[in-house]
Amino acid sequence: MQRKLSGASLVAVVCAAQVLAQVGAYFWPALLPGMIPLWGLTNSEAGWITAIFYGAYVAAVPILVTLTDRVDPKRVYLFGVACTVAGHLLFGLLAEGFWSALGLRALAGIGWAGTYMTGLKLLADRVNAKLMSRAVTGHAASIGVSGALSFSVAGLLAEVFDWRAAFVVAGSSAAAAWLLVALSVPSGSPPAPAADGFK
């Protein structure tokens, strides 16, 4: 049975989950200079692998965000994080060149679409208007923090271990985010309470 979180605690949980889920988002571009010679990629191929992440994100966002009007945003969010977990873990374990990298980065892009805006919707349905402005600010900050960490952590992990380990760590971090939200955030889509307070 889930313990009911206060509004402020819920915001903190979702923002922490966003950092954990998104920290691997930019591992590919951060490690790209080393991956080009390692896989013998052309500049065009490297560009496609980078761009497919954003292309998949753009294609998936309208579908997944619209889905939150019909389905509990928590379920959509967890689907997005699951795609992120799979995209990063499989990249670290199986990626061998252009085509495998292209497909797995597309999967990670779908994951990003399923966590970024849907994470905000998750909060919007569960906190009141008084807290919402702080929730939006915290959510945006968590995405910025994860992006900054992504570039620095990727290089550090690749240097200490290797590029495969970096992506496995990114997938494991996203898995921790999935568990955090699955176990902490209540299901359902209750309307934000009108009364003052963070309940």
Side-chain angles (χ1 to χ4, degrees):
M1 183 176 179
Q2 291 175 332
R3 181 174 63 85
K4 186 175 180 181
L5 296 175
S6 67
S9 295
L10 179 62
V11 172
V13 164
V14 173
C15 289
Q18 291 292 58
V19 173
L20 291 170
Q22 301 292 348
V23 73
Y26 301 117
F27 274 26
W28 170 258
L31 300 177
L32 183 57
M35 300 304 294
I36 291 176
L38 180 66
W39 282 350
L41 298 172
T42 65
N43 288 337
S44 177
E45 287 173 336
W48 271 106
I49 297 170
T50 302
I52 196 68
F53 176 86
Y54 301 101
Y57 168 80
V58 169
V61 158
I63 298 169
L64 296 177
V65 173
T66 301
L67 191 60
T68 60
D69 292 330
R70 298 174 177 269
V71 178
D72 181 0
K74 177 182 175 180
R75 293 175 60 189
V76 181
Y77 183 86
L78 290 176
F79 167 78
V81 178
C83 289
T84 301
V85 172
H88 292 331
L89 282 179
L90 292 176
F91 197 102
L93 296 173
L94 302 177
E96 292 290 351
F98 175 72
W99 289 108
S100 56
L102 191 74
L104 292 171
R105 288 302 290 168
L107 182 59
I110 294 170
W112 198 32
T115 55
Y116 182 42
M117 292 302 294
T118 59
L120 193 56
K121 183 68 160 62
L122 186 68
L123 290 174
D125 285 352
R126 288 165 171 79
V127 301
N128 60 40
K130 183 176 180 179
L131 184 59
M132 194 58 206
S133 63
R134 279 181 279 176
V136 171
T137 301
H139 183 269
S142 68
I143 298 299
V145 167
S146 66
L149 285 174
S150 193
F151 283 97
S152 57
V153 171
L156 179 61
L157 289 172
E159 182 178 345
V160 174
F161 302 104
D162 60 17
W163 69 268
R164 290 192 182 279
F167 280 97
V168 170
V169 169
S172 300
S173 177
W178 193 96
L179 287 172
L180 181 61
V181 171
L183 297 176
S184 301
V185 176
S187 297
S189 301
D196 288 341
F198 295 167
K199 295 182 180 179

PDB file of all heavy atoms in Angstrom, residues 2 6 11 31 48 63 70 74 102 106 120 136 141 148 156 158 165 172 175 177 179 191 196 198-199:
ATOM      1  N   GLN A   2       0.582   2.184  -0.893  1.00  0.00           N
ATOM      2  CA  GLN A   2       1.398   3.384  -1.010  1.00  0.00           C
ATOM      3  C   GLN A   2       1.046   4.396   0.070  1.00  0.00           C
ATOM      4  O   GLN A   2      -0.119   4.597   0.402  1.00  0.00           O
ATOM      5  CB  GLN A   2       1.185   4.036  -2.381  1.00  0.00           C
ATOM      6  CG  GLN A   2       1.753   3.231  -3.529  1.00  0.00           C
ATOM      7  CD  GLN A   2       1.400   3.856  -4.862  1.00  0.00           C
ATOM      8  OE1 GLN A   2       0.395   4.520  -5.003  1.00  0.00           O
ATOM      9  NE2 GLN A   2       2.243   3.618  -5.843  1.00  0.00           N
ATOM     10  N   SER A   6       2.570  14.242   0.472  1.00  0.00           N
ATOM     11  CA  SER A   6       2.124  15.626   0.396  1.00  0.00           C
ATOM     12  C   SER A   6       2.456  16.165  -0.992  1.00  0.00           C
ATOM     13  O   SER A   6       3.250  15.562  -1.734  1.00  0.00           O
ATOM     14  CB  SER A   6       2.841  16.466   1.459  1.00  0.00           C
ATOM     15  OG  SER A   6       4.223  16.564   1.155  1.00  0.00           O
ATOM     16  N   VAL A  11       6.201  16.458  -5.680  1.00  0.00           N
ATOM     17  CA  VAL A  11       7.023  17.227  -6.617  1.00  0.00           C
ATOM     18  C   VAL A  11       8.485  16.796  -6.513  1.00  0.00           C
ATOM     19  O   VAL A  11       9.161  16.592  -7.521  1.00  0.00           O
ATOM     20  CB  VAL A  11       6.886  18.743  -6.361  1.00  0.00           C
ATOM     21  CG1 VAL A  11       7.892  19.530  -7.194  1.00  0.00           C
ATOM     22  CG2 VAL A  11       5.470  19.211  -6.671  1.00  0.00           C
ATOM     23  N   LEU A  31      29.650  11.200 -26.220  1.00  0.00           N
ATOM     24  CA  LEU A  31      30.656  10.202 -26.566  1.00  0.00           C
ATOM     25  C   LEU A  31      30.898  10.085 -28.071  1.00  0.00           C
ATOM     26  O   LEU A  31      31.737   9.285 -28.500  1.00  0.00           O
ATOM     27  CB  LEU A  31      30.230   8.827 -26.014  1.00  0.00           C
ATOM     28  CG  LEU A  31      30.058   8.761 -24.491  1.00  0.00           C
ATOM     29  CD1 LEU A  31      29.563   7.381 -24.075  1.00  0.00           C
ATOM     30  CD2 LEU A  31      31.359   9.089 -23.780  1.00  0.00           C
ATOM     31  N   TRP A  48      22.724  11.055 -38.379  1.00  0.00           N
ATOM     32  CA  TRP A  48      21.442  10.355 -38.331  1.00  0.00           C
ATOM     33  C   TRP A  48      21.198   9.725 -36.960  1.00  0.00           C
ATOM     34  O   TRP A  48      20.078   9.772 -36.441  1.00  0.00           O
ATOM     35  CB  TRP A  48      21.378   9.276 -39.414  1.00  0.00           C
ATOM     36  CG  TRP A  48      20.852   9.781 -40.722  1.00  0.00           C
ATOM     37  CD1 TRP A  48      21.564  10.030 -41.861  1.00  0.00           C
ATOM     38  CD2 TRP A  48      19.494  10.124 -41.011  1.00  0.00           C
ATOM     39  NE1 TRP A  48      20.735  10.499 -42.855  1.00  0.00           N
ATOM     40  CE2 TRP A  48      19.454  10.561 -42.359  1.00  0.00           C
ATOM     41  CE3 TRP A  48      18.315  10.105 -40.282  1.00  0.00           C
ATOM     42  CZ2 TRP A  48      18.281  10.977 -42.976  1.00  0.00           C
ATOM     43  CZ3 TRP A  48      17.136  10.513 -40.903  1.00  0.00           C
ATOM     44  CH2 TRP A  48      17.133  10.945 -42.222  1.00  0.00           C
ATOM     45  N   ILE A  63       1.373  11.909 -29.529  1.00  0.00           N
ATOM     46  CA  ILE A  63       0.632  10.683 -29.223  1.00  0.00           C
ATOM     47  C   ILE A  63       0.589  10.444 -27.718  1.00  0.00           C
ATOM     48  O   ILE A  63      -0.471  10.243 -27.122  1.00  0.00           O
ATOM     49  CB  ILE A  63       1.270   9.477 -29.934  1.00  0.00           C
ATOM     50  CG1 ILE A  63       1.216   9.670 -31.451  1.00  0.00           C
ATOM     51  CG2 ILE A  63       0.581   8.176 -29.527  1.00  0.00           C
ATOM     52  CD1 ILE A  63       2.036   8.668 -32.228  1.00  0.00           C
ATOM     53  N   ARG A  70      -6.635  10.417 -21.556  1.00  0.00           N
ATOM     54  CA  ARG A  70      -7.509   9.243 -21.498  1.00  0.00           C
ATOM     55  C   ARG A  70      -7.007   8.181 -20.537  1.00  0.00           C
ATOM     56  O   ARG A  70      -7.778   7.350 -20.062  1.00  0.00           O
ATOM     57  CB  ARG A  70      -7.638   8.620 -22.901  1.00  0.00           C
ATOM     58  CG  ARG A  70      -8.269   9.538 -23.933  1.00  0.00           C
ATOM     59  CD  ARG A  70      -8.225   8.902 -25.309  1.00  0.00           C
ATOM     60  NE  ARG A  70      -8.874   9.735 -26.293  1.00  0.00           N
ATOM     61  CZ  ARG A  70     -10.153   9.657 -26.626  1.00  0.00           C
ATOM     62  NH1 ARG A  70     -10.926   8.771 -26.022  1.00  0.00           N
ATOM     63  NH2 ARG A  70     -10.680  10.446 -27.534  1.00  0.00           N
ATOM     64  N   LYS A  74       0.455   8.472 -14.953  1.00  0.00           N
ATOM     65  CA  LYS A  74       1.488   7.631 -14.337  1.00  0.00           C
ATOM     66  C   LYS A  74       1.825   6.447 -15.239  1.00  0.00           C
ATOM     67  O   LYS A  74       2.996   6.088 -15.406  1.00  0.00           O
ATOM     68  CB  LYS A  74       1.026   7.145 -12.971  1.00  0.00           C
ATOM     69  CG  LYS A  74       2.022   6.210 -12.286  1.00  0.00           C
ATOM     70  CD  LYS A  74       1.494   5.727 -10.945  1.00  0.00           C
ATOM     71  CE  LYS A  74       2.446   4.691 -10.331  1.00  0.00           C
ATOM     72  NZ  LYS A  74       1.942   4.216  -9.021  1.00  0.00           N
ATOM     73  N   LEU A 102      20.962   3.299 -34.466  1.00  0.00           N
ATOM     74  CA  LEU A 102      19.832   4.106 -34.943  1.00  0.00           C
ATOM     75  C   LEU A 102      18.533   3.669 -34.283  1.00  0.00           C
ATOM     76  O   LEU A 102      17.758   4.495 -33.773  1.00  0.00           O
ATOM     77  CB  LEU A 102      19.731   3.982 -36.466  1.00  0.00           C
ATOM     78  CG  LEU A 102      18.787   4.960 -37.169  1.00  0.00           C
ATOM     79  CD1 LEU A 102      19.399   6.364 -37.202  1.00  0.00           C
ATOM     80  CD2 LEU A 102      18.504   4.472 -38.597  1.00  0.00           C
ATOM     81  N   ALA A 106      16.401   5.747 -31.340  1.00  0.00           N
ATOM     82  CA  ALA A 106      14.993   6.080 -31.581  1.00  0.00           C
ATOM     83  C   ALA A 106      14.141   5.654 -30.387  1.00  0.00           C
ATOM     84  O   ALA A 106      13.251   6.393 -29.944  1.00  0.00           O
ATOM     85  CB  ALA A 106      14.499   5.403 -32.855  1.00  0.00           C
ATOM     86  N   LEU A 120       5.271  16.378 -16.394  1.00  0.00           N
ATOM     87  CA  LEU A 120       4.598  17.612 -15.991  1.00  0.00           C
ATOM     88  C   LEU A 120       3.098  17.375 -15.816  1.00  0.00           C
ATOM     89  O   LEU A 120       2.484  17.869 -14.868  1.00  0.00           O
ATOM     90  CB  LEU A 120       4.852  18.699 -17.041  1.00  0.00           C
ATOM     91  CG  LEU A 120       4.499  20.125 -16.652  1.00  0.00           C
ATOM     92  CD1 LEU A 120       5.222  20.553 -15.384  1.00  0.00           C
ATOM     93  CD2 LEU A 120       4.835  21.076 -17.796  1.00  0.00           C
ATOM     94  N   VAL A 136       6.233  23.332 -11.672  1.00  0.00           N
ATOM     95  CA  VAL A 136       6.724  23.569 -13.040  1.00  0.00           C
ATOM     96  C   VAL A 136       8.182  23.992 -13.011  1.00  0.00           C
ATOM     97  O   VAL A 136       9.007  23.519 -13.807  1.00  0.00           O
ATOM     98  CB  VAL A 136       5.859  24.636 -13.743  1.00  0.00           C
ATOM     99  CG1 VAL A 136       6.477  25.048 -15.071  1.00  0.00           C
ATOM    100  CG2 VAL A 136       4.449  24.107 -13.969  1.00  0.00           C
ATOM    101  N   ALA A 141      13.818  22.614 -13.873  1.00  0.00           N
ATOM    102  CA  ALA A 141      15.176  22.586 -13.332  1.00  0.00           C
ATOM    103  C   ALA A 141      15.743  21.172 -13.345  1.00  0.00           C
ATOM    104  O   ALA A 141      16.928  20.965 -13.637  1.00  0.00           O
ATOM    105  CB  ALA A 141      15.185  23.145 -11.910  1.00  0.00           C
ATOM    106  N   ALA A 148      22.830  18.672 -17.938  1.00  0.00           N
ATOM    107  CA  ALA A 148      24.197  19.059 -17.601  1.00  0.00           C
ATOM    108  C   ALA A 148      24.993  17.860 -17.097  1.00  0.00           C
ATOM    109  O   ALA A 148      26.148  17.657 -17.477  1.00  0.00           O
ATOM    110  CB  ALA A 148      24.176  20.160 -16.546  1.00  0.00           C
ATOM    111  N   LEU A 156      33.071  10.721 -17.930  1.00  0.00           N
ATOM    112  CA  LEU A 156      33.726  10.140 -16.760  1.00  0.00           C
ATOM    113  C   LEU A 156      33.591   8.623 -16.751  1.00  0.00           C
ATOM    114  O   LEU A 156      34.565   7.891 -16.543  1.00  0.00           O
ATOM    115  CB  LEU A 156      33.125  10.735 -15.483  1.00  0.00           C
ATOM    116  CG  LEU A 156      33.690  10.218 -14.161  1.00  0.00           C
ATOM    117  CD1 LEU A 156      35.165  10.522 -14.037  1.00  0.00           C
ATOM    118  CD2 LEU A 156      32.906  10.819 -12.991  1.00  0.00           C
ATOM    119  N   ALA A 158      32.896   6.623 -19.288  1.00  0.00           N
ATOM    120  CA  ALA A 158      33.597   6.028 -20.429  1.00  0.00           C
ATOM    121  C   ALA A 158      35.098   5.983 -20.188  1.00  0.00           C
ATOM    122  O   ALA A 158      35.781   5.043 -20.614  1.00  0.00           O
ATOM    123  CB  ALA A 158      33.287   6.815 -21.703  1.00  0.00           C
ATOM    124  N   ALA A 165      29.643   0.485 -20.572  1.00  0.00           N
ATOM    125  CA  ALA A 165      29.302   0.630 -19.159  1.00  0.00           C
ATOM    126  C   ALA A 165      28.542   1.927 -18.911  1.00  0.00           C
ATOM    127  O   ALA A 165      27.625   1.974 -18.082  1.00  0.00           O
ATOM    128  CB  ALA A 165      30.573   0.588 -18.312  1.00  0.00           C
ATOM    129  N   SER A 172      20.365   1.754 -15.912  1.00  0.00           N
ATOM    130  CA  SER A 172      20.121   1.396 -14.510  1.00  0.00           C
ATOM    131  C   SER A 172      19.563   2.588 -13.736  1.00  0.00           C
ATOM    132  O   SER A 172      18.685   2.436 -12.880  1.00  0.00           O
ATOM    133  CB  SER A 172      21.416   0.909 -13.857  1.00  0.00           C
ATOM    134  OG  SER A 172      21.920  -0.226 -14.539  1.00  0.00           O
ATOM    135  N   ALA A 175      16.025   2.872 -14.603  1.00  0.00           N
ATOM    136  CA  ALA A 175      15.268   1.826 -13.909  1.00  0.00           C
ATOM    137  C   ALA A 175      14.958   2.241 -12.471  1.00  0.00           C
ATOM    138  O   ALA A 175      13.870   1.967 -11.947  1.00  0.00           O
ATOM    139  CB  ALA A 175      16.053   0.516 -13.925  1.00  0.00           C
ATOM    140  N   ALA A 177      14.497   5.295 -11.550  1.00  0.00           N
ATOM    141  CA  ALA A 177      13.423   6.276 -11.687  1.00  0.00           C
ATOM    142  C   ALA A 177      12.074   5.578 -11.836  1.00  0.00           C
ATOM    143  O   ALA A 177      11.068   6.007 -11.258  1.00  0.00           O
ATOM    144  CB  ALA A 177      13.692   7.177 -12.889  1.00  0.00           C
ATOM    145  N   LEU A 179      11.181   2.624 -10.708  1.00  0.00           N
ATOM    146  CA  LEU A 179      10.786   2.082  -9.415  1.00  0.00           C
ATOM    147  C   LEU A 179      10.326   3.180  -8.458  1.00  0.00           C
ATOM    148  O   LEU A 179       9.354   3.008  -7.721  1.00  0.00           O
ATOM    149  CB  LEU A 179      11.958   1.316  -8.798  1.00  0.00           C
ATOM    150  CG  LEU A 179      12.288  -0.030  -9.440  1.00  0.00           C
ATOM    151  CD1 LEU A 179      13.585  -0.577  -8.861  1.00  0.00           C
ATOM    152  CD2 LEU A 179      11.146  -1.021  -9.238  1.00  0.00           C
ATOM    153  N   PRO A 191      -8.421  15.286  -9.646  1.00  0.00           N
ATOM    154  CA  PRO A 191      -8.268  16.711  -9.931  1.00  0.00           C
ATOM    155  C   PRO A 191      -7.509  17.396  -8.821  1.00  0.00           C
ATOM    156  O   PRO A 191      -7.556  16.975  -7.659  1.00  0.00           O
ATOM    157  CB  PRO A 191      -9.721  17.208  -9.997  1.00  0.00           C
ATOM    158  CG  PRO A 191     -10.475  16.233  -9.153  1.00  0.00           C
ATOM    159  CD  PRO A 191      -9.797  14.900  -9.344  1.00  0.00           C
ATOM    160  N   ASP A 196      -6.474  25.609  -0.131  1.00  0.00           N
ATOM    161  CA  ASP A 196      -5.073  25.859   0.163  1.00  0.00           C
ATOM    162  C   ASP A 196      -4.482  24.636   0.847  1.00  0.00           C
ATOM    163  O   ASP A 196      -5.172  23.829   1.441  1.00  0.00           O
ATOM    164  CB  ASP A 196      -4.920  27.089   1.068  1.00  0.00           C
ATOM    165  CG  ASP A 196      -5.216  28.376   0.325  1.00  0.00           C
ATOM    166  OD1 ASP A 196      -5.176  28.363  -0.937  1.00  0.00           O
ATOM    167  OD2 ASP A 196      -5.504  29.367   1.006  1.00  0.00           O
ATOM    168  N   PHE A 198      -1.038  21.614   0.788  1.00  0.00           N
ATOM    169  CA  PHE A 198      -0.310  20.759  -0.129  1.00  0.00           C
ATOM    170  C   PHE A 198      -0.812  19.333  -0.112  1.00  0.00           C
ATOM    171  O   PHE A 198      -0.140  18.418  -0.497  1.00  0.00           O
ATOM    172  CB  PHE A 198       1.193  20.760   0.219  1.00  0.00           C
ATOM    173  CG  PHE A 198       1.832  22.104   0.012  1.00  0.00           C
ATOM    174  CD1 PHE A 198       3.093  22.351   0.524  1.00  0.00           C
ATOM    175  CD2 PHE A 198       1.189  23.115  -0.676  1.00  0.00           C
ATOM    176  CE1 PHE A 198       3.688  23.567   0.342  1.00  0.00           C
ATOM    177  CE2 PHE A 198       1.792  24.336  -0.865  1.00  0.00           C
ATOM    178  CZ  PHE A 198       3.052  24.563  -0.336  1.00  0.00           C
ATOM    179  N   LYS A 199      -2.014  19.086   0.380  1.00  0.00           N
ATOM    180  CA  LYS A 199      -2.518  17.727   0.470  1.00  0.00           C
ATOM    181  C   LYS A 199      -2.913  17.220  -0.906  1.00  0.00           C
ATOM    182  O   LYS A 199      -3.296  17.964  -1.767  1.00  0.00           O
ATOM    183  CB  LYS A 199      -3.711  17.668   1.406  1.00  0.00           C
ATOM    184  CG  LYS A 199      -3.313  18.009   2.867  1.00  0.00           C
ATOM    185  CD  LYS A 199      -4.508  17.887   3.765  1.00  0.00           C
ATOM    186  CE  LYS A 199      -4.145  18.208   5.205  1.00  0.00           C
ATOM    187  NZ  LYS A 199      -5.299  18.109   6.111  1.00  0.00           N
TER     188      LYS A 199
END
